[in-house]
């Protein structure tokens, strides 16, 4: 039976899905739904191809109230840069939640993931960080270090931003580029400790396998969003950071217990009470226990975010007249 | 970065990937690889959408020696026939096993799954059934009942075929159609018992949730391939069939223990020794313990089959000049 689907390229999607407050609100709605009834979100399918230093993950979720669900295929092949290709690629397949028919193929090479991940950081900051103007800090100087701070700037006034990265030259390039982009003062910091001690809000964006942030550096009023860890071996926060925090929040507790900072705290034998971000977003009140409280949010990335951003992208592309119809 | 991929439609794939001995050999090679070193095959991702009487499964596998791997998305929405749509749809994404880049989108609506599933039945029969001419039997009268017997006819001479289905009219239509197609006598049977008692080789293709075949009907020389069960609630063979068999074979034992006939035997407290089909294919010798032995093969469908059929389809399409190039 002939069917029609829309094919959207990365260029189409970059044009119609900017990282803006609309994207942040879309992802916030996703977290709300995740805290409600009827969401279906199976464990991530993950396959390593150690022979080629590669891996592929598949995430999905059905979210009530959304017409379609995304099936996101995310390959990471870490020898690609040696041959001039990016490590991360992939696509989303958007399927009708009513019939299972393919509605759109989004050949985004990971762009929508980058947007929805940064948007989740903004949701966490909007829900948990003190009101601004704030001093912000970031660990890492890659794509998410850029997008997380851009997203943060959508929800909080930033007084200044300090950045630390293992590669000092990258941190300097980051500071110069971002300062020009956001019109905010960026400066490099010598150590993660300097970043944490000097910031009101810190975002960690590295693939570190050893903790970068120590519990003794926490100070009143600090909020940390840790979004680097999305695999069991990754770890940015010393486990005691989670127990010393006054409020520890996850995107999905069961998933963070396998892939996030929570995983390492559990392995260290700690008992960490966790609240899911969507529960706080739903409550709509003040989520911070107090001005002086320390809050920590562990983001591993959920299929719900993929489904809501893909629905948003499909609507935005239709509205903009983007994409090619394909008759299969 | 612009990339190029090939888009293949169901019509393209039907044209270049017939159910023939080549397809059977391709799938046999897949099973061989599965029994060897280096295959990566994660558990199936499975999501139910009970709100819409739907489900979606994702299967994949990396198979050493194959340039690419398939990520297969299989939705099943069982209210679709009410609105004139097929229940089963889906596509395969073929990704480079070296870089993770998408090489092809195969919009097959489940066609390649149908072929590789039938081919697996032929591999099982070629490995386990007595040499022909054989009397064959089939339970069910749907698409796989057709394809399984077509595939069986590729590897064994069939003297006649008996068919039973819950819907007698469907069984009659099946017998008439298939008789014309294969030039073999087909007849309908009043019960599953008649089919089993009167056949040398039986293929079960139903979505039954209650056993259709009883152990007391087994007779010397019988081979049964049970391919209907691919979910934990499905069940075609009484558990004692597995223990009464002289040789019980699976496509993947760990998966059959969750989704296949083996699942129900384990639930019934039985201890069932199992050999994987690929091990027998690799050995290349006579797999039947004796002419008089009863053999049973439990097929749940593996990601390896998807990867090998997708590689085969991609090569066949290129050779035939089929497909459209898409620059993303």
């Amino acid at each position: 039976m002939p069917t029609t689907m829309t094919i959207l390229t990365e260029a189409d999607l970059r044009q119609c899905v900017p990282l803006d407050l609309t994207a942040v609100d879309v992802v916030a709605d996703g977290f709300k739904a995740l805290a409600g009834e009827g969401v279906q979100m199976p464990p991530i399918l993950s396959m390593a191809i150690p022979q080629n230093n590669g891996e592929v993950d598949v995430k999905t979720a059905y979210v009530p109230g959304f017409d379609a669900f995304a099936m996101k295929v995310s390959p990471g092949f870490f020898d690609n840069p040696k041959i001039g290709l990016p490590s991360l690629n992939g696509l989303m397949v958007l399927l009708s939640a009513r019939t299972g028919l393919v509605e759109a193929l989004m050949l985004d090479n990971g762009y929508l993931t980058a947007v929805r991940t940064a948007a989740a950081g903004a949701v966490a900051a909007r829900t948990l960080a003190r009101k601004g103007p704030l001093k912000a800090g970031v660990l890492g100087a890659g794509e998410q270090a850029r997008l997380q701070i851009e997203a943060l700037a959508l929800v909080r006034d930033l007084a200044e931003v300090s950045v630390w990265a293992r590669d000092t030259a990258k941190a300097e390039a980051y500071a110069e580029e971002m300062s020009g982009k956001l019109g905010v003062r960026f400066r490099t910091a010598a150590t993660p400790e300097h970043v944490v001690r000097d910031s009101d809000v810190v975002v960690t964006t590295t693939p570190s396998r050893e903790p970068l942030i120590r519990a003794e550096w926490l100070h009143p009023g600090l909020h940390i969003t840790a979004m680097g860890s999305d695999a069991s071996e990754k770890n940015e926060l010393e486990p005691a950071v989670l127990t010393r925090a006054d409020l520890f929040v996850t995107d999905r507790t069961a998933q963070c217990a396998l892939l996030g900072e929570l995983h390492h705290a559990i392995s260290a034998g700690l008992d960490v009470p966790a609240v899911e971000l969507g529960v706080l977003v739903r409550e709509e009140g003040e989520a911070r226990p107090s001005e002086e409280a320390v809050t920590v949010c562990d983001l591993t990335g959920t299929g719900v975010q993929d489904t809501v951003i893909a629905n948003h992208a499909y609507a935005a592309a239709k509205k903009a007249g983007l994409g090619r119809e394909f008759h299969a």
Side-chain angles (χ1 to χ4, degrees), chain A:
Chain A
M1 200 198 57
T3 54
T4 300
M5 60 190 71
T6 302
I7 300 184
L8 294 161
T9 64
E10 181 181 345
D12 294 332
L13 295 160
R14 283 186 180 273
Q15 189 177 330
C16 66
V17 187
L19 174 55
D20 60 8
L21 268 178
T22 304
V24 174
D25 288 338
V26 161
V27 170
D29 285 344
F31 282 119
K32 266 193 207 174
L34 185 54
E37 296 291 312
V39 165
Q40 308 289 340
M41 190 166 78
I44 299 165
L45 180 154
S46 191
M47 176 169 75
I49 303 180
Q51 292 95 331
N52 295 337
N53 195 19
E55 63 183 31
V56 59
D57 283 357
V58 181
K59 293 185 181 184
T60 190
Y62 165 72
V63 186
F66 287 81
D67 291 339
F69 63 96
M71 188 63 72
K72 182 177 78 172
V73 180
S74 300
F77 280 70
F78 304 102
D79 292 340
N80 278 2
K82 294 180 194 166
I83 53 170
L85 295 173
S87 295
L88 303 179
N89 289 286
L91 79 166
M92 291 194 191
V93 182
L94 188 74
L95 299 105
S96 162
R98 198 169 54 89
T99 65
L101 292 179
V102 177
E103 301 203 333
L105 296 167
M106 301 184 172
L107 309 173
D108 71 325
N109 299 315
Y111 172 70
L112 294 177
T113 299
V115 171
R116 66 77 154 148
T117 301
V123 173
R126 188 163 70 177
T127 308
L128 292 163
R130 290 196 290 121
K131 304 291 176 282
L134 298 178
K135 293 166 80 175
V138 61
L139 303 189
E143 183 189 46
Q144 273 298 315
R146 285 167 171 73
L147 296 178
Q148 287 287 339
I149 297 300
E150 284 182 45
L152 181 59
L154 295 170
V155 300
R156 288 291 184 269
D157 283 335
L158 302 183
E160 65 168 26
V161 183
S162 61
V163 54
W164 171 88
R166 212 171 284 277
D167 182 334
T168 309
K170 276 194 186 165
E172 282 164 5
Y174 172 91
E176 188 172 333
E177 177 195 323
M178 290 295 288
S179 173
K181 192 161 193 173
L182 295 184
V184 172
R185 184 177 168 236
F186 277 70
R187 55 193 181 76
T188 59
T191 65
E193 182 174 359
H194 284 90
V195 170
V196 174
R197 290 205 189 267
D198 202 33
S199 298
D200 303 306
V201 55
V202 172
V203 187
T204 67
T205 69
T206 78
S208 182
R209 292 166 180 236
E210 299 295 334
L212 298 174
I213 294 185
R214 305 261 155 234
E216 64 192 80
W217 307 337
L218 303 184
H219 53 83
L222 175 67
H223 170 72
I224 299 174
T225 294
M227 58 68 54
S229 179
D230 59 354
S232 61
E233 73 280 6
K234 295 186 190 167
N235 184 200
E236 299 185 282
L237 308 182
E238 182 185 17
V241 169
L242 280 60
T243 44
R244 288 274 281 278
D246 299 289
L247 178 61
F248 174 70
V249 178
T250 64
D251 52 4
R252 189 63 159 179
T253 302
Q255 189 172 297
C256 291
L258 295 172
L259 305 177
E261 300 302 329
L262 182 56
H263 169 69
H264 299 277
I266 291 170
S267 296
L270 299 181
D271 181 25
V272 187
V275 180
E276 292 192 357
L277 183 56
V279 173
L280 301 177
V281 175
R282 271 177 104 84
E283 286 171 357
E284 288 182 0
E286 178 56 55
R288 281 193 76 73
S290 72
E291 274 293 295
E292 303 300 293
V294 172
T295 56
V296 173
C297 185
D298 186 4
L299 298 179
T300 49
T302 64
V304 163
Q305 290 161 259
D306 297 316
T307 281
V308 298
I309 201 77
N311 275 280
H312 168 55
Y314 189 43
K318 268 198 212 166
K319 197 172 165 188
L322 293 168
R324 271 177 274 183
E325 297 285 291
F326 189 89
H327 304 278

